[in-house]
mmCIF file of all heavy atoms in Angstrom:
data_model
loop_
_atom_site.group_PDB
_atom_site.id
_atom_site.type_symbol
_atom_site.label_atom_id
_atom_site.label_comp_id
_atom_site.label_asym_id
_atom_site.label_seq_id
_atom_site.Cartn_x
_atom_site.Cartn_y
_atom_site.Cartn_z
ATOM 1 N N ASP O 1139 -38.228 -37.802 -45.468
ATOM 2 C CA ASP O 1139 -39.535 -38.203 -45.950
ATOM 3 C C ASP O 1139 -39.319 -39.102 -47.165
ATOM 4 O O ASP O 1139 -39.047 -38.644 -48.249
ATOM 5 C CB ASP O 1139 -40.368 -36.963 -46.339
ATOM 6 C CG ASP O 1139 -41.771 -37.317 -46.711
ATOM 7 O OD1 ASP O 1139 -42.099 -38.528 -46.727
ATOM 8 O OD2 ASP O 1139 -42.548 -36.400 -46.988
ATOM 9 N N TRP O 1140 -39.408 -40.432 -46.939
ATOM 10 C CA TRP O 1140 -39.146 -41.362 -48.030
ATOM 11 C C TRP O 1140 -40.428 -41.883 -48.633
ATOM 12 O O TRP O 1140 -40.441 -42.907 -49.303
ATOM 13 C CB TRP O 1140 -38.256 -42.512 -47.561
ATOM 14 C CG TRP O 1140 -38.626 -43.144 -46.250
ATOM 15 C CD1 TRP O 1140 -38.120 -42.820 -45.012
ATOM 16 C CD2 TRP O 1140 -39.573 -44.185 -46.002
ATOM 17 N NE1 TRP O 1140 -38.684 -43.587 -44.041
ATOM 18 C CE2 TRP O 1140 -39.589 -44.441 -44.607
ATOM 19 C CE3 TRP O 1140 -40.431 -44.930 -46.824
ATOM 20 C CZ2 TRP O 1140 -40.408 -45.402 -44.045
ATOM 21 C CZ3 TRP O 1140 -41.233 -45.889 -46.249
ATOM 22 C CH2 TRP O 1140 -41.215 -46.110 -44.871
ATOM 23 N N ARG O 1141 -41.544 -41.210 -48.425
ATOM 24 C CA ARG O 1141 -42.793 -41.612 -49.048
ATOM 25 C C ARG O 1141 -42.705 -41.429 -50.566
ATOM 26 O O ARG O 1141 -42.111 -40.495 -51.067
ATOM 27 C CB ARG O 1141 -43.949 -40.746 -48.517
ATOM 28 C CG ARG O 1141 -44.229 -40.991 -47.042
ATOM 29 C CD ARG O 1141 -45.217 -39.979 -46.524
ATOM 30 N NE ARG O 1141 -44.635 -38.648 -46.557
ATOM 31 C CZ ARG O 1141 -45.315 -37.548 -46.231
ATOM 32 N NH1 ARG O 1141 -46.566 -37.613 -45.897
ATOM 33 N NH2 ARG O 1141 -44.700 -36.383 -46.286
ATOM 34 N N VAL O 1142 -43.342 -42.326 -51.275
ATOM 35 C CA VAL O 1142 -43.386 -42.230 -52.721
ATOM 36 C C VAL O 1142 -44.404 -41.167 -53.118
ATOM 37 O O VAL O 1142 -45.539 -41.182 -52.644
ATOM 38 C CB VAL O 1142 -43.806 -43.595 -53.335
ATOM 39 C CG1 VAL O 1142 -43.861 -43.477 -54.843
ATOM 40 C CG2 VAL O 1142 -42.850 -44.670 -52.904
ATOM 41 N N LEU O 1143 -43.976 -40.233 -53.972
ATOM 42 C CA LEU O 1143 -44.863 -39.160 -54.411
ATOM 43 C C LEU O 1143 -45.537 -39.560 -55.695
ATOM 44 O O LEU O 1143 -44.896 -39.814 -56.701
ATOM 45 C CB LEU O 1143 -44.055 -37.878 -54.619
ATOM 46 C CG LEU O 1143 -43.326 -37.362 -53.363
ATOM 47 C CD1 LEU O 1143 -42.659 -36.057 -53.694
ATOM 48 C CD2 LEU O 1143 -44.268 -37.201 -52.198
ATOM 49 N N LEU O 1144 -46.857 -39.627 -55.691
ATOM 50 C CA LEU O 1144 -47.603 -40.056 -56.863
ATOM 51 C C LEU O 1144 -48.600 -39.012 -57.328
ATOM 52 O O LEU O 1144 -49.492 -39.311 -58.105
ATOM 53 C CB LEU O 1144 -48.345 -41.368 -56.563
ATOM 54 C CG LEU O 1144 -47.454 -42.567 -56.240
ATOM 55 C CD1 LEU O 1144 -48.299 -43.779 -55.934
ATOM 56 C CD2 LEU O 1144 -46.534 -42.877 -57.404
ATOM 57 N N GLY O 1145 -48.503 -37.768 -56.877
ATOM 58 C CA GLY O 1145 -49.494 -36.796 -57.304
ATOM 59 C C GLY O 1145 -49.022 -35.370 -57.264
ATOM 60 O O GLY O 1145 -49.481 -34.600 -56.431
ATOM 61 N N PHE O 1146 -48.149 -34.986 -58.151
ATOM 62 C CA PHE O 1146 -47.550 -33.654 -58.039
ATOM 63 C C PHE O 1146 -47.957 -32.701 -59.144
ATOM 64 O O PHE O 1146 -47.982 -31.509 -58.921
ATOM 65 C CB PHE O 1146 -46.016 -33.820 -58.064
ATOM 66 C CG PHE O 1146 -45.365 -33.396 -56.791
ATOM 67 C CD1 PHE O 1146 -45.730 -33.972 -55.604
ATOM 68 C CD2 PHE O 1146 -44.409 -32.428 -56.791
ATOM 69 C CE1 PHE O 1146 -45.118 -33.589 -54.436
ATOM 70 C CE2 PHE O 1146 -43.795 -32.037 -55.639
ATOM 71 C CZ PHE O 1146 -44.157 -32.630 -54.452
ATOM 72 N N GLY O 1147 -48.211 -33.200 -60.352
ATOM 73 C CA GLY O 1147 -48.582 -32.307 -61.443
ATOM 74 C C GLY O 1147 -47.440 -31.427 -61.892
ATOM 75 O O GLY O 1147 -47.438 -30.233 -61.629
ATOM 76 N N LEU O 1148 -46.451 -32.006 -62.577
ATOM 77 C CA LEU O 1148 -45.293 -31.220 -62.969
ATOM 78 C C LEU O 1148 -45.280 -30.923 -64.460
ATOM 79 O O LEU O 1148 -44.288 -30.452 -64.991
ATOM 80 C CB LEU O 1148 -44.015 -31.976 -62.580
ATOM 81 C CG LEU O 1148 -43.818 -32.210 -61.082
ATOM 82 C CD1 LEU O 1148 -42.527 -32.968 -60.843
ATOM 83 C CD2 LEU O 1148 -43.786 -30.900 -60.340
ATOM 84 N N GLY O 1149 -46.370 -31.210 -65.180
ATOM 85 C CA GLY O 1149 -46.446 -30.876 -66.578
ATOM 86 C C GLY O 1149 -45.396 -31.579 -67.416
ATOM 87 O O GLY O 1149 -44.712 -30.975 -68.239
ATOM 88 N N MET O 1150 -45.232 -32.915 -67.237
ATOM 89 C CA MET O 1150 -44.181 -33.655 -67.916
ATOM 90 C C MET O 1150 -44.615 -34.086 -69.297
ATOM 91 O O MET O 1150 -45.777 -34.282 -69.563
ATOM 92 C CB MET O 1150 -43.813 -34.879 -67.093
ATOM 93 C CG MET O 1150 -43.241 -34.504 -65.741
ATOM 94 S SD MET O 1150 -43.373 -35.837 -64.573
ATOM 95 C CE MET O 1150 -45.117 -35.814 -64.273
ATOM 96 N N LEU O 1151 -43.632 -34.265 -70.192
ATOM 97 C CA LEU O 1151 -43.887 -34.687 -71.544
ATOM 98 C C LEU O 1151 -43.552 -36.154 -71.688
ATOM 99 O O LEU O 1151 -42.590 -36.645 -71.093
ATOM 100 C CB LEU O 1151 -43.029 -33.878 -72.528
ATOM 101 C CG LEU O 1151 -43.305 -32.374 -72.542
ATOM 102 C CD1 LEU O 1151 -42.317 -31.701 -73.499
ATOM 103 C CD2 LEU O 1151 -44.732 -32.088 -72.961
ATOM 104 N N CYS O 1152 -44.318 -36.881 -72.505
ATOM 105 C CA CYS O 1152 -44.051 -38.266 -72.784
ATOM 106 C C CYS O 1152 -42.989 -38.368 -73.876
ATOM 107 O O CYS O 1152 -43.128 -37.763 -74.922
ATOM 108 C CB CYS O 1152 -45.322 -38.980 -73.227
ATOM 109 S SG CYS O 1152 -45.107 -40.742 -73.467
ATOM 110 N N LEU O 1153 -41.924 -39.126 -73.595
ATOM 111 C CA LEU O 1153 -40.849 -39.247 -74.562
ATOM 112 C C LEU O 1153 -41.010 -40.539 -75.345
ATOM 113 O O LEU O 1153 -41.305 -41.577 -74.774
ATOM 114 C CB LEU O 1153 -39.491 -39.283 -73.818
ATOM 115 C CG LEU O 1153 -39.240 -38.084 -72.909
ATOM 116 C CD1 LEU O 1153 -37.895 -38.271 -72.224
ATOM 117 C CD2 LEU O 1153 -39.262 -36.786 -73.700
ATOM 118 N N PRO O 1154 -40.773 -40.529 -76.679
ATOM 119 C CA PRO O 1154 -40.925 -41.729 -77.465
ATOM 120 C C PRO O 1154 -39.758 -42.670 -77.274
ATOM 121 O O PRO O 1154 -38.669 -42.266 -76.867
ATOM 122 C CB PRO O 1154 -40.948 -41.203 -78.898
ATOM 123 C CG PRO O 1154 -40.125 -39.955 -78.827
ATOM 124 C CD PRO O 1154 -40.384 -39.352 -77.468
ATOM 125 N N VAL O 1155 -39.959 -43.940 -77.609
ATOM 126 C CA VAL O 1155 -38.877 -44.894 -77.620
ATOM 127 C C VAL O 1155 -38.087 -44.701 -78.908
ATOM 128 O O VAL O 1155 -38.641 -44.710 -79.979
ATOM 129 C CB VAL O 1155 -39.424 -46.338 -77.561
ATOM 130 C CG1 VAL O 1155 -38.269 -47.332 -77.573
ATOM 131 C CG2 VAL O 1155 -40.269 -46.513 -76.307
ATOM 132 N N SER O 1156 -36.799 -44.498 -78.791
ATOM 133 C CA SER O 1156 -35.999 -44.219 -79.981
ATOM 134 C C SER O 1156 -35.607 -45.504 -80.686
ATOM 135 O O SER O 1156 -35.434 -46.535 -80.062
ATOM 136 C CB SER O 1156 -34.733 -43.445 -79.589
ATOM 137 O OG SER O 1156 -33.848 -44.272 -78.877
ATOM 138 N N GLY O 1157 -35.419 -45.429 -82.017
ATOM 139 C CA GLY O 1157 -35.026 -46.599 -82.775
ATOM 140 C C GLY O 1157 -33.639 -47.082 -82.401
ATOM 141 O O GLY O 1157 -33.325 -48.261 -82.507
ATOM 142 N N ALA O 1158 -32.790 -46.161 -81.913
ATOM 143 C CA ALA O 1158 -31.429 -46.554 -81.567
ATOM 144 C C ALA O 1158 -31.389 -47.564 -80.441
ATOM 145 O O ALA O 1158 -30.470 -48.361 -80.309
ATOM 146 C CB ALA O 1158 -30.610 -45.314 -81.169
ATOM 147 N N GLU O 1159 -32.437 -47.532 -79.589
ATOM 148 C CA GLU O 1159 -32.432 -48.410 -78.430
ATOM 149 C C GLU O 1159 -32.592 -49.871 -78.842
ATOM 150 O O GLU O 1159 -32.253 -50.776 -78.078
ATOM 151 C CB GLU O 1159 -33.549 -48.036 -77.470
ATOM 152 C CG GLU O 1159 -33.279 -46.732 -76.759
ATOM 153 C CD GLU O 1159 -34.542 -46.124 -76.219
ATOM 154 O OE1 GLU O 1159 -35.597 -46.691 -76.430
ATOM 155 O OE2 GLU O 1159 -34.438 -45.076 -75.583
ATOM 156 N N ALA O 1160 -33.107 -50.131 -80.039
ATOM 157 C CA ALA O 1160 -33.278 -51.511 -80.466
ATOM 158 C C ALA O 1160 -31.931 -52.222 -80.573
ATOM 159 O O ALA O 1160 -31.847 -53.445 -80.444
ATOM 160 C CB ALA O 1160 -33.982 -51.559 -81.804
ATOM 161 N N SER O 1161 -30.869 -51.448 -80.787
ATOM 162 C CA SER O 1161 -29.540 -52.040 -80.893
ATOM 163 C C SER O 1161 -28.772 -52.013 -79.582
ATOM 164 O O SER O 1161 -27.646 -52.499 -79.508
ATOM 165 C CB SER O 1161 -28.735 -51.304 -81.961
ATOM 166 O OG SER O 1161 -28.562 -49.953 -81.611
ATOM 167 N N ASP O 1162 -29.371 -51.427 -78.534
ATOM 168 C CA ASP O 1162 -28.720 -51.395 -77.216
ATOM 169 C C ASP O 1162 -28.570 -52.832 -76.731
ATOM 170 O O ASP O 1162 -29.534 -53.555 -76.607
ATOM 171 C CB ASP O 1162 -29.579 -50.575 -76.246
ATOM 172 C CG ASP O 1162 -28.870 -50.338 -74.913
ATOM 173 O OD1 ASP O 1162 -28.170 -51.250 -74.448
ATOM 174 O OD2 ASP O 1162 -29.060 -49.243 -74.345
ATOM 175 N N ARG O 1163 -27.349 -53.219 -76.367
ATOM 176 C CA ARG O 1163 -27.107 -54.599 -75.998
ATOM 177 C C ARG O 1163 -27.892 -55.020 -74.757
ATOM 178 O O ARG O 1163 -28.143 -56.200 -74.550
ATOM 179 C CB ARG O 1163 -25.617 -54.831 -75.747
ATOM 180 C CG ARG O 1163 -25.055 -53.914 -74.659
ATOM 181 C CD ARG O 1163 -23.574 -54.159 -74.429
ATOM 182 N NE ARG O 1163 -22.992 -53.193 -73.530
ATOM 183 C CZ ARG O 1163 -23.106 -53.252 -72.197
ATOM 184 N NH1 ARG O 1163 -23.788 -54.231 -71.650
ATOM 185 N NH2 ARG O 1163 -22.525 -52.330 -71.450
ATOM 186 N N SER O 1164 -28.297 -54.071 -73.913
ATOM 187 C CA SER O 1164 -29.003 -54.415 -72.685
ATOM 188 C C SER O 1164 -30.467 -53.965 -72.716
ATOM 189 O O SER O 1164 -31.129 -54.026 -71.707
ATOM 190 C CB SER O 1164 -28.315 -53.768 -71.473
ATOM 191 O OG SER O 1164 -28.326 -52.363 -71.590
ATOM 192 N N ALA O 1165 -30.938 -53.508 -73.851
ATOM 193 C CA ALA O 1165 -32.292 -52.939 -73.907
ATOM 194 C C ALA O 1165 -33.350 -54.007 -73.717
ATOM 195 O O ALA O 1165 -33.287 -55.076 -74.333
ATOM 196 C CB ALA O 1165 -32.500 -52.240 -75.235
ATOM 197 N N PRO O 1166 -34.336 -53.790 -72.844
ATOM 198 C CA PRO O 1166 -35.454 -54.709 -72.688
ATOM 199 C C PRO O 1166 -36.452 -54.470 -73.815
ATOM 200 O O PRO O 1166 -36.248 -53.597 -74.668
ATOM 201 C CB PRO O 1166 -36.041 -54.293 -71.340
ATOM 202 C CG PRO O 1166 -35.717 -52.842 -71.249
ATOM 203 C CD PRO O 1166 -34.403 -52.656 -71.969
ATOM 204 N N PRO O 1167 -37.559 -55.210 -73.860
ATOM 205 C CA PRO O 1167 -38.522 -55.004 -74.933
ATOM 206 C C PRO O 1167 -39.051 -53.574 -75.022
ATOM 207 O O PRO O 1167 -39.366 -53.096 -76.094
ATOM 208 C CB PRO O 1167 -39.650 -55.971 -74.577
ATOM 209 C CG PRO O 1167 -38.975 -57.061 -73.793
ATOM 210 C CD PRO O 1167 -37.882 -56.355 -73.024
ATOM 211 N N LEU O 1168 -39.157 -52.870 -73.888
ATOM 212 C CA LEU O 1168 -39.656 -51.498 -73.880
ATOM 213 C C LEU O 1168 -38.675 -50.632 -73.102
ATOM 214 O O LEU O 1168 -38.303 -50.971 -71.980
ATOM 215 C CB LEU O 1168 -41.027 -51.422 -73.219
ATOM 216 C CG LEU O 1168 -42.210 -52.040 -73.965
ATOM 217 C CD1 LEU O 1168 -43.408 -52.119 -73.057
ATOM 218 C CD2 LEU O 1168 -42.531 -51.264 -75.212
ATOM 219 N N ALA O 1169 -38.289 -49.504 -73.686
ATOM 220 C CA ALA O 1169 -37.380 -48.598 -72.999
ATOM 221 C C ALA O 1169 -37.523 -47.198 -73.537
ATOM 222 O O ALA O 1169 -37.686 -46.985 -74.742
ATOM 223 C CB ALA O 1169 -35.935 -49.060 -73.148
ATOM 224 N N SER O 1170 -37.435 -46.204 -72.655
ATOM 225 C CA SER O 1170 -37.388 -44.812 -73.081
ATOM 226 C C SER O 1170 -35.969 -44.463 -73.464
ATOM 227 O O SER O 1170 -35.025 -45.238 -73.270
ATOM 228 C CB SER O 1170 -37.868 -43.908 -71.952
ATOM 229 O OG SER O 1170 -36.896 -43.802 -70.931
ATOM 230 N N SER O 1171 -35.771 -43.290 -73.977
ATOM 231 C CA SER O 1171 -34.429 -42.791 -74.243
ATOM 232 C C SER O 1171 -33.716 -42.516 -72.907
ATOM 233 O O SER O 1171 -34.347 -42.195 -71.910
ATOM 234 C CB SER O 1171 -34.469 -41.505 -75.052
ATOM 235 O OG SER O 1171 -35.111 -41.695 -76.306
ATOM 236 N N TRP O 1172 -32.392 -42.664 -72.918
ATOM 237 C CA TRP O 1172 -31.606 -42.282 -71.754
ATOM 238 C C TRP O 1172 -31.608 -40.767 -71.610
ATOM 239 O O TRP O 1172 -31.538 -40.048 -72.603
ATOM 240 C CB TRP O 1172 -30.161 -42.745 -71.899
ATOM 241 C CG TRP O 1172 -29.917 -44.221 -71.803
ATOM 242 C CD1 TRP O 1172 -29.660 -45.093 -72.825
ATOM 243 C CD2 TRP O 1172 -29.867 -44.996 -70.600
ATOM 244 N NE1 TRP O 1172 -29.460 -46.360 -72.329
ATOM 245 C CE2 TRP O 1172 -29.585 -46.342 -70.979
ATOM 246 C CE3 TRP O 1172 -30.030 -44.709 -69.249
ATOM 247 C CZ2 TRP O 1172 -29.458 -47.369 -70.050
ATOM 248 C CZ3 TRP O 1172 -29.912 -45.737 -68.316
ATOM 249 C CH2 TRP O 1172 -29.622 -47.056 -68.721
ATOM 250 N N THR O 1173 -31.673 -40.293 -70.381
ATOM 251 C CA THR O 1173 -31.415 -38.889 -70.107
ATOM 252 C C THR O 1173 -30.268 -38.812 -69.105
ATOM 253 O O THR O 1173 -30.120 -39.684 -68.254
ATOM 254 C CB THR O 1173 -32.647 -38.164 -69.521
ATOM 255 O OG1 THR O 1173 -32.934 -38.675 -68.205
ATOM 256 C CG2 THR O 1173 -33.866 -38.365 -70.415
ATOM 257 N N ARG O 1174 -29.461 -37.766 -69.229
ATOM 258 C CA ARG O 1174 -28.278 -37.665 -68.359
ATOM 259 C C ARG O 1174 -28.289 -36.347 -67.595
ATOM 260 O O ARG O 1174 -28.604 -35.294 -68.162
ATOM 261 C CB ARG O 1174 -26.997 -37.789 -69.171
ATOM 262 C CG ARG O 1174 -25.755 -37.751 -68.295
ATOM 263 C CD ARG O 1174 -24.482 -38.100 -69.050
ATOM 264 N NE ARG O 1174 -23.344 -38.106 -68.124
ATOM 265 C CZ ARG O 1174 -22.970 -39.134 -67.388
ATOM 266 N NH1 ARG O 1174 -23.621 -40.281 -67.481
ATOM 267 N NH2 ARG O 1174 -21.934 -39.051 -66.570
#
Side-chain angles (χ1 to χ4, degrees):
D1139 186 358
W1140 45 266
R1141 294 171 294 176
V1142 180
L1143 300 184
L1144 297 179
F1146 245 57
L1148 297 180
M1150 296 159 288
L1151 298 176
C1152 184
L1153 304 179
V1155 179
S1156 71
E1159 289 160 357
S1161 62
D1162 188 323
R1163 58 180 173 80
S1164 62
L1168 291 169
S1170 74
S1171 300
W1172 289 104
T1173 67
R1174 183 170 182 86

